[in-house]
């Protein structure tokens, strides 16, 4: 059931590999490090395989932004629900509120590099022939 497109394999194993590399903040295509010049800035191209890392498209930026926003808010809600269930029937509402707000503010900053690399991996799944 492994289909092959013009740009390469599209198997589940290949997709999982792309995602795994992105989560580790590596180039999704080749898996090499060094694609980040600092915590928030990707290099224009992968130093190893020359994959264009910055697509330069506004919709690409919006996709990465939305993935970051959704992941951060799901994290905040998840922590809130788990803490609420763990402390039920008398949850510390003030502490839960402050912790949830802090996570909602900090998580998008901390998750930014990972979600940007993940969005690039998703892009490579859908447009492998345009990846360099």
């Amino acid at each position: 059931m492994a289909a092959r497109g013009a740009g390469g394999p599209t198997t589940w194993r290949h997709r999982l590999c792309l995602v795994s590399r992105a989560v580790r903040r590596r180039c999704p295509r080749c898996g090499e490090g060094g694609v980040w010049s600092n915590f928030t800035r990707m290099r224009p191209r992968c130093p190893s395989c020359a994959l264009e890392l910055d697509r330069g498209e506004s919709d690409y930026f919006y996709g990465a932004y939305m993935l970051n926003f959704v992941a951060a808010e799901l994290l905040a809600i998840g922590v809130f629900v788990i803490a609420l269930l763990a402390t039920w029937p008398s949850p510390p509402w003030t502490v839960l509120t402050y912790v949830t707000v802090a996570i909602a503010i900090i998580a998008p900053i901390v998750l930014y590099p990972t979600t940007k690399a993940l969005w690039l991996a998703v892009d490579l799944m859908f447009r492998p022939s345009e990846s360099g």
Side-chain angles (χ1 to χ4, degrees):
M1 200 154 167
R4 262 195 182 278
T10 57
T11 63
W12 283 106
R13 176 183 269 185
H14 178 69
R15 291 176 182 156
L16 184 61
C17 184
L18 290 174
V19 169
S20 171
R21 290 171 178 168
V23 167
R24 291 180 287 143
R25 297 185 61 201
R26 296 181 169 276
C27 174
R29 184 165 69 181
C30 71
E32 293 296 319
V35 295
W36 293 90
S37 58
N38 61 35
F39 183 74
T40 60
R41 188 170 305 263
M42 277 184 145
R43 298 185 191 283
R45 293 189 174 277
C46 173
S48 178
C49 70
L51 171 68
E52 186 177 346
L53 300 171
D54 185 7
R55 299 297 201 199
E57 304 165 355
S58 63
D59 57 341
Y60 178 78
F61 169 78
Y62 294 136
Y65 171 80
M66 286 306 297
L67 180 62
N68 186 14
F69 179 75
V70 168
E73 296 312 308
L74 284 176
L75 178 66
I77 291 168
V79 168
F80 177 81
V81 168
I82 290 169
L84 180 65
L85 293 174
T87 59
W88 195 261
S90 56
W93 291 109
T94 305
V95 173
L96 285 176
T97 303
Y98 287 134
V99 168
T100 304
V101 168
I103 291 171
I105 292 170
I106 295 169
I109 298 165
V110 172
L111 292 175
Y112 174 76
T114 303
T115 55
K116 188 170 182 182
L118 272 172
W119 190 249
L120 179 59
V122 170
D123 188 44
L124 287 174
M125 288 178 208
F126 289 102
R127 301 188 307 172
S129 61
E130 298 178 25
S131 62

